[in-house]
Amino acid sequence: MKMTFYGQFVAGEDQESIQPLIQHNRAFGVGSILDYGVEEDLSPEEAERQEMESCTSAAEKEGSGASKREKQYQAHRAFGDRRDGVISARTYFYASEAKCDSHMETFLRCIEASGRAGEDGFSAIKLTALGRPQFLLQFSDVLTKWRRFFHQMAAEQGKAGLAAMDTRLEVAALQESVAKMGIASRTEIENWFTAETLGVSGTLDLLDWGSLIDSRTELSKHLVVPNMQTGQLEPLLSRFTQEEELQVTRMLQRMDVLAKKASEAGVRLMVDAEQTYFQPAISRLTLEMQRRFNVEKPLIFGTYQCYLKDAYDNVTLDVELARREGWCFGAKLVRGAYMAQERARAVEIGYEDPINPTYEATSAMYHRCLDYVLEELKHNSTAQVMVASHNEDTVRFTLRRMEELGLHPADRQVSFGQLLGMCDQISFPLGQAGFPVYKYVPYGPVMEVLPYLSRRALENSGVVKGALRERQLLWQELWRRLRTGSLFHRPA
C-alpha cells in the first residue's frame, strides 16, 4: 500500500514520519496544510442511521412537533450517507459529544504540527466534526428564510431581481409592511430600525437585515416569517431542549478553542465548505469567528464554493461586511466537492438545483468571484485569498490578473492550494517562481485512511490524463513571466 496509492496521496502515518516530505516540499517553495486523513469505516446503513438520528430534533422524535424546516433543510434517509457521490471531501458523522471532543483534539494536534512546520501555515477544519448537525440544519433554515423574506419585501417595493449588494429596502415602507403583519406594535418596530443601528440613509440592505438575527437584538424575540403554503406567520427560531442548547454551546466552544490555538501557533484556520443544507450556518459561524480573530490579519478563512449559483452574492456581501466592520477578509475559493450529490438530492426531494448548470458556468463564476476579491486586494493590503484549484485556466487567469493589478507574489496576499499527489505540475512551478503555494497533506495509519484513499484514487484517475499537457502549458507561462521579470518586479 505504501508503495502505491497510499504513497501517492498520503504523507505518512504520523507527525514524525511526514517531516521529510514537508521539508522536501518547502525546499521547492511549497508549504503544507496538514490534514489527519482518518475516516471512520462505517457501513452505508450505519452512516444513514447516525445521520438520521443526529439531524432530528427531540420534538420531532417525540412526535410533538412536525419539522417546520423547509425540505432542503430536513434530513432525508435516501441521502443519509453523505459520502455517497463525494470523491475528495472527508465526511464526519455525529456519534456523541465525546466523539466531537476527540475530533477537536485531532484538529488541535494538526494546528500544533502546522505551527512547527513553518511560518504562515494553514490548518483546515470541518464544522460537522465539531457538533450535532441538527443545529446546522436548523440555523441554515433560519438564515435562508430570513434572506428570502428580505427579497419578498424588496419585491413588494418594486426592487426584485437586483444584485444582493444593490438591493435596499425603504425603511418607512418596511415598517408599514411589518406592522400590517401584526408581528409587533408600531413603537417596537420603530425601535428596531433606528438611525443608531442602521445609519441615516433611510434604507436597509441585506447586511443590515442579516444583523437583525442576533441574540442581542429585541427583534430576535419576534422573528417570524410567512409560510408561503399556509399564509400563516410562523416563528423563525426553533425552540431547543436544554440538552440541545448545551450541544450548541459545546460546538461554539470547540470552535473558539481551535481559533485561539491557531492564533497562538501563528496558523491560519480554514473552515471548509460542506453541503448546501449545512452551508448557510457554517458561513455565518465562520463570519462570527472572523469578527473576533481577524483583527490585524486574516486568521480565519471562509470557503466559497463557486459551483453554487449564489457564490458571487455570498462573496460580495462578506467583503462588504468586512469593510464596514473593519476586520480582515480571508477566503479560499474552490469549485466544490458535492456536485453529483447536491444535484441528485435537489431532484429527488424537489427544490431548486443550487449548482450552476454547466462546467463553463462554474468556471465563469469562479473567475468572477476571484476577480472581485483580487480587486479588493489591490485596495486592501490586509485581505488575503487562496486560489484552491487544479485548473490550468484558473491559475493562468490569476497570474494575469495579479500582474495587471500589481499584486506581487512577495506580498503573500494571493496563495495557491492543491491536493497532495495531484497537479504537482501546477504546485511546484508556482512555488519555484516565488508564489505562496500549499499542498493539502493528509496523514494517518494505512488501514485507517483507506476509506479516504479509495475516493481520492477515483478522483485522480480523471486528472492524470491531462497532466503532461498542463505541465507544458504552465511551464511555458511561468518561464515567459520569469524572462520578462513580471513575477518579481513591481510596476513602476
Side-chain angles (χ1 to χ4, degrees), residues 33 40 82 92 103 117 176 199 213 219 259 271 317 348 373 453:
I33 305 167
E40 279 193 277
R82 286 185 276 112
Y92 293 90
H103 292 150
E176 186 69 25
I213 301 184
L219 174 60
V271 182
L317 285 166
E348 176 74 19
V373 174
L453 275 175

Side-chain angles (χ1 to χ4, degrees), residues 383-456:
Q384 295 178 12
V385 65
M386 172 175 280
V387 182
S389 177
H390 298 144
N391 184 280
E392 62 175 80
D393 291 332
T394 294
V395 172
R396 282 207 299 269
F397 175 87
T398 309
L399 295 175
R400 186 180 76 250
R401 291 299 288 142
M402 287 180 68
E403 187 174 7
E404 292 168 355
L405 295 168
L407 296 170
H408 198 267
D411 293 332
R412 305 187 72 81
Q413 282 185 277
V414 182
S415 57
F416 295 84
Q418 286 90 38
L419 297 166
L420 182 70
M422 295 176 64
C423 294
D424 288 351
Q425 72 279 0
I426 292 177
S427 309
F428 286 92
L430 286 170
Q432 288 284 274
F435 288 86
V437 185
Y438 296 85
K439 285 285 197 184
Y440 265 80
V441 177
Y443 67 97
V446 176
M447 297 309 294
E448 294 182 39
V449 298
L450 275 178
Y452 167 88
L453 275 175
S454 62
R455 299 203 306 276
R456 179 51 43 79

Side-chain angles (χ1 to χ4, degrees), residues 306-322:
C306 294
Y307 65 10
L308 297 179
K309 294 173 182 176
D310 61 0
Y312 184 75
D313 281 350
N314 293 334
V315 169
T316 54
L317 285 166
D318 290 351
V319 167
E320 176 61 24
L321 186 65

Side-chain angles (χ1 to χ4, degrees), residues 227-327:
N227 182 314
M228 302 312 291
Q229 279 71 46
T230 66
Q232 301 297 310
L233 293 175
E234 295 180 349
L236 187 62
L237 298 176
S238 302
R239 297 184 69 85
F240 291 107
T241 66
Q242 186 174 9
E243 177 58 27
E244 287 169 345
E245 287 185 359
L246 282 172
Q247 290 168 349
V248 171
T249 299
R250 291 187 197 114
M251 181 181 191
L252 300 177
Q253 288 172 340
R254 293 179 190 110
M255 292 169 60
D256 189 62
V257 167
L258 293 171
K260 286 177 178 175
K261 184 67 174 181
S263 180
E264 293 168 4
V267 172
R268 290 166 289 180
L269 201 60
M270 289 193 299
V271 182
D272 282 342
E274 303 191 48
Q275 284 90 347
T276 51
Y277 43 93
F278 296 137
Q279 192 55 43
I282 291 171
S283 296
R284 180 63 178 254
L285 294 174
T286 302
L287 283 177
E288 295 298 332
M289 294 169 72
Q290 289 175 317
R291 281 184 168 124
R292 291 183 54 206
F293 293 98
N294 290 11
V295 179
E296 297 178 357
K297 60 183 180 180
L299 180 80
I300 310 296
F301 276 54
T303 301
Y304 298 89
Q305 298 161 306
C306 294
Y307 65 10
L308 297 179
K309 294 173 182 176
D310 61 0
Y312 184 75
D313 281 350
N314 293 334
V315 169
T316 54
L317 285 166
D318 290 351
V319 167
E320 176 61 24
L321 186 65
R323 288 178 191 146
R324 289 186 190 181
E325 298 183 347
W327 46 268

Side-chain angles (χ1 to χ4, degrees), residues 8 33 52 55 97 117 124 171 183 192 206 221 276 279 317 349 401-402 435:
Q8 175 75 6
I33 305 167
M52 296 304 295
C55 289
E97 291 297 298
V171 172
I183 294 174
W192 299 339
L206 195 50
K221 300 175 185 176
T276 51
Q279 192 55 43
L317 285 166
I349 296 169
R401 291 299 288 142
M402 287 180 68
F435 288 86

